[in-house]
Amino acid sequence: MEQQSLIVEGFVFPSYKEAQIALKEKKNIDAIRERMPLQDANACYDLYTKLIERDVFHTLVGYSFLAELRRHLVVDFGYSEEDITTVVLPKRMEYDKVQELNQGVLKSKLEKSMHTTTRLKIIIFALVFVVFAMFVIAAINPNTGYINTENKVLNKYAAWQEELEQREKVIKEKEEELNINDLQ
């Protein structure tokens, strides 16, 4: 959005929406000036009070026009400051409301991301604990894993083979003894 679209009556507005509202107020002010000459004191005073009562203006363009009417009443028509209704500015302008809404959205997003971050930290801590526990178990327990299993199987078969070789030797000795006895 270009900067020119945000300028109305020499005021730069923070949002396009506010600039559009100010533009409408400027058109209304121009229409008021065309229809009503500001030379009549009573008409000028009535216009000023009606505009304030109806809360017609919401931007600096409108408030500037009200200030101009007020000056005109005091300086040109001799009204005292106490006789003229004061202009009460709103506590928040439109952009403040939008900014507050944006801050609310940002706060909710921040809370969600903090909640997600907390969850992720818990998950990471749990995974680190599991990995650490696996290393501890592997280091402490010698019977874990496939490394020792292969050695156990090989040792078992070696023991069986040795036992079989001893039995075979005993059987051969017995056969030789029997063969010698049969020959005699």
Side-chain angles (χ1 to χ4, degrees):
M1 182 181 321
E2 61 184 60
Q3 185 72 11
Q4 279 306 106
S5 63
L6 300 177
I7 298 175
V8 178
E9 289 287 307
F11 295 106
V12 178
F13 290 90
S15 70
Y16 181 75
K17 182 178 178 182
E18 273 195 83
Q20 292 302 309
I21 294 169
L23 198 57
K24 286 181 185 177
E25 288 181 3
K26 179 185 179 303
K27 288 178 183 178
N28 290 339
I29 292 167
D30 292 341
I32 290 171
R33 285 187 177 163
E34 284 178 16
R35 289 186 204 149
M36 182 176 181
L38 300 178
Q39 278 68 29
D40 183 18
N42 290 335
C44 190
Y45 180 78
D46 290 340
L47 173 67
Y48 177 79
T49 55
K50 284 181 184 178
L51 290 174
I52 291 175
E53 287 172 1
R54 293 181 184 166
D55 194 28
V56 175
F57 298 119
H58 302 286
T59 66
L60 289 173
V61 172
Y63 294 129
S64 295
F65 179 67
L66 289 175
E68 179 184 326
L69 283 177
R70 184 178 183 86
R71 252 184 272 109
H72 191 59
L73 287 170
V74 171
V75 173
D76 296 338
F77 298 120
Y79 282 88
S80 69
E81 290 284 336
E82 294 79 27
D83 294 339
I84 303 173
T85 308
T86 56
V87 177
V88 179
L89 296 175
K91 290 183 181 179
R92 295 180 180 263
M93 298 296 244
E94 181 66 28
Y95 63 89
D96 289 335
K97 292 177 187 175
V98 171
Q99 187 176 15
E100 185 176 292
L101 289 174
N102 289 342
Q103 286 177 351
V105 169
L106 290 175
K107 283 181 183 178
S108 67
K109 285 183 180 181
L110 178 65
E111 288 173 6
K112 285 180 184 178
S113 66
M114 293 297 285
H115 188 64
T116 303
T117 303
T118 304
R119 282 184 178 176
L120 289 175
K121 285 179 181 178
I122 291 170
I123 291 171
I124 289 171
F125 177 74
L127 290 174
V128 167
F129 179 76
V130 167
V131 169
F132 181 72
M134 288 171 51
F135 280 118
V136 169
I137 290 171
I140 292 174
N141 191 353
N143 295 328
T144 60
Y146 296 105
I147 300 169
N148 293 331
T149 305
E150 184 180 0
N151 290 336
K152 287 180 186 178
V153 170
L154 289 176
N155 289 341
K156 195 173 192 179
Y157 283 120
W160 286 350
Q161 185 175 1
E162 196 174 302
E163 187 180 323
L164 285 175
E165 286 175 359
Q166 285 178 356
R167 285 186 181 179
E168 190 178 326
K169 186 176 178 183
V170 170
I171 291 173
K172 282 185 182 179
E173 286 177 3
K174 289 263 185 190
E175 281 180 355
E176 283 180 15
E177 224 176 84
L178 285 175
N179 280 340
I180 293 178
N181 285 340
D182 281 340
L183 289 176
Q184 293 175 1

